[in-house]
Amino acid sequence: MKVLVFTEKPFAEAAVKAIANVVNASGNELELVERGTREDLLNAVKDAEGLIVRSDVIDAEVMEHAPKLKVIVRAGAGYDNIDLKAATEHGICVMNTPGQNSNAVAELVFGMVVMMCRNQYNGTSGSELKGKSLGIYAFGQVGRNVARIAKGFDMKIEALDVFVPDAVIEAEGVKPLHSVDELFSQNDFVSLHIPATPETKGSIGYDLVMKMPKNGVLINTARKEVIDEAGLIKALEERPDLRYVSDIKPATAEEFEKKFASRVFFTPKKMGAQTAEANFNAGVAAAEQVIAYLKDGWNKFQVNK
Ligand code: 3PG
């Protein structure tokens, strides 16, 4: 059986080797397409039974070109790039690899925050994280890693997650919150870890950001779609003390950069999970999950049930 790894953003070399080992050891064949075009994907998927991707868009058209496809594993957490309804209609199991790249994303949160608090290392006087408050929006795997690291900075930590019981949040030494208004009005830093869903898309905008205390910093390592960009631009215009850092280039990045210069920072390409360790962990987990599904239907992390 053929397992296709299709990644616009390639895995680190060691991860690719480890994925190949897992697939070959199971007696299956690996095809690797890195930085491929849409056409490359449609061609390569024709005879694939398993597919491993990252943020690559896998929609109904791809599935229509893949009559043998049984399982897609998104090597990572967010699966908004995969059309789950179409997958279900095609009888394809879709899984993610929860937790495998979450430390990498959490470390980047602080990488970007410290850089912003030190004025992008331009030699001027900056500010510290110690004693400041951090609000974590969604207390999943990334949110929990962010809390763990924030403790080392001696920050006050609060989290909002309607799906996680207060006791679980408290057990991590974090104060549970119950409204998004509290999250924004009480915290110097707000770090977003919500998935992109119909409910969350465009949900972070003017009204919420304007509630932030003086010198507030909004951090987005989630998805650009959760931001109402026009609303955020308006808030940044009215509040010259506010800053925005994002691991996802906004659709209107040029406007942000032109208007706000050093008050905003965007990675050129989503790179929260782009570490040797995260690539290895998520890639190997994805390979093992594809093989386990093809072998005996193992589907612990299926997201289209
Ligand atoms: C995820 O959802 O796992 C992260 O956003 C990482 O995405 P990537 O694999 O495209 O880097």
Side-chain angles (χ1 to χ4, degrees):
M1 287 188 273
K2 178 172 121 179
V3 175
L4 171 65
V5 174
F6 182 91
T7 51
E8 186 275 320
K9 195 168 47 185
F11 287 116
E13 210 180 309
V16 173
K17 274 193 191 138
I19 293 168
N21 285 342
V22 171
V23 174
N24 295 334
S26 69
N28 293 291
E29 176 206 334
L30 178 82
E31 182 176 341
L32 177 69
V33 180
E34 292 176 330
R35 301 187 186 89
T37 62
R38 176 84 178 173
E39 208 187 332
D40 295 334
L41 172 60
L42 297 181
N43 276 329
V45 85
K46 273 190 184 123
D47 56 347
E49 293 184 41
L51 174 61
I52 295 172
V53 292
R54 295 183 64 176
S55 293
D56 310 278
V57 174
I58 305 299
D59 55 19
E61 191 195 11
V62 176
M63 297 175 205
E64 275 146 28
H65 280 72
K68 294 171 133 189
L69 194 58
K70 296 185 177 70
V71 57
I72 302 169
V73 177
R74 189 279 190 251
Y79 44 85
D80 47 307
N81 51 316
I82 299 172
D83 186 335
L84 296 187
K85 196 166 158 277
T88 305
E89 281 163 11
H90 284 80
I92 298 168
C93 168
V94 180
M95 289 188 262
N96 65 350
T97 63
Q100 301 291 349
N101 60 18
S102 43
N103 178 65
V105 178
E107 287 191 11
L108 186 70
V109 167
F110 291 92
M112 293 195 299
V113 163
V114 171
M115 184 185 67
M116 192 48 94
C117 289
R118 295 304 182 101
N119 303 326
Q120 305 203 28
Y121 310 121
N122 69 1
T124 62
S125 183
S127 59
E128 300 179 21
L129 303 191
K130 187 176 179 186
K132 304 275 170 40
S133 58
L134 168 69
I136 300 174
Y137 195 4
F139 206 61
Q141 304 270 4
V142 181
R144 286 168 213 211
N145 275 287
V146 168
R148 173 179 54 78
I149 299 169
K151 282 179 213 160
F153 279 101
D154 217 353
M155 301 182 86
K156 293 176 208 139
I157 315 162
E158 304 186 334
L160 171 67
D161 194 324
V162 290
F163 301 106
V164 178
D166 284 3
V168 172
I169 297 176
E170 279 160 356
E172 302 297 324
V174 175
K175 182 180 168 197
L177 298 178
H178 302 103
S179 83
V180 78
D181 281 5
E182 286 179 305
L183 180 80
F184 278 81
S185 59
Q186 291 175 189
N187 286 291
D188 302 304
F189 299 87
V190 173
S191 189
L192 306 176
H193 303 291
I194 46 178
T197 65
E199 293 75 34
T200 63
K201 282 183 183 170
S203 65
I204 310 296
Y206 180 81
D207 291 346
L208 287 176
V209 176
M210 287 300 282
K211 288 184 198 297
M212 291 191 80
K214 191 164 165 43
N215 298 325
V217 181
L218 177 65
I219 307 130
N220 184 9
T221 53
R223 292 289 182 268
K224 69 173 188 291
E225 290 81 5
V226 303
I227 302 288
D228 162 13
E229 293 185 12
L232 178 56
I233 287 173
K234 189 165 180 263
L236 289 170
E237 274 168 348
E238 289 179 27
R239 291 269 311 270
D241 59 302
L242 295 177
R243 287 161 293 170
Y244 178 50
V245 292
S246 177
D247 181 31
I248 301 95
K249 234 179 178 9
T252 53
E254 270 181 30
E255 187 179 352
F256 275 96
E257 282 163 349
K258 199 167 148 232
K259 286 187 166 153
F260 310 116
S262 59
R263 289 167 56 208
V264 295
F265 172 79
F266 311 126
T267 52
K269 195 174 251 203
K270 184 159 61 124
M271 56 175 295
Q274 194 61 322
T275 65
E277 294 86 348
N279 282 178
F280 192 91
N281 295 341
V284 170
E288 284 171 347
Q289 289 176 214
V290 163
I291 297 307
Y293 185 84
L294 293 176
K295 193 163 166 258
D296 52 21
W298 184 94
N299 66 343
K300 182 169 173 192
F301 299 122
Q302 185 166 356
V303 291
N304 65 329
K305 277 184 193 165

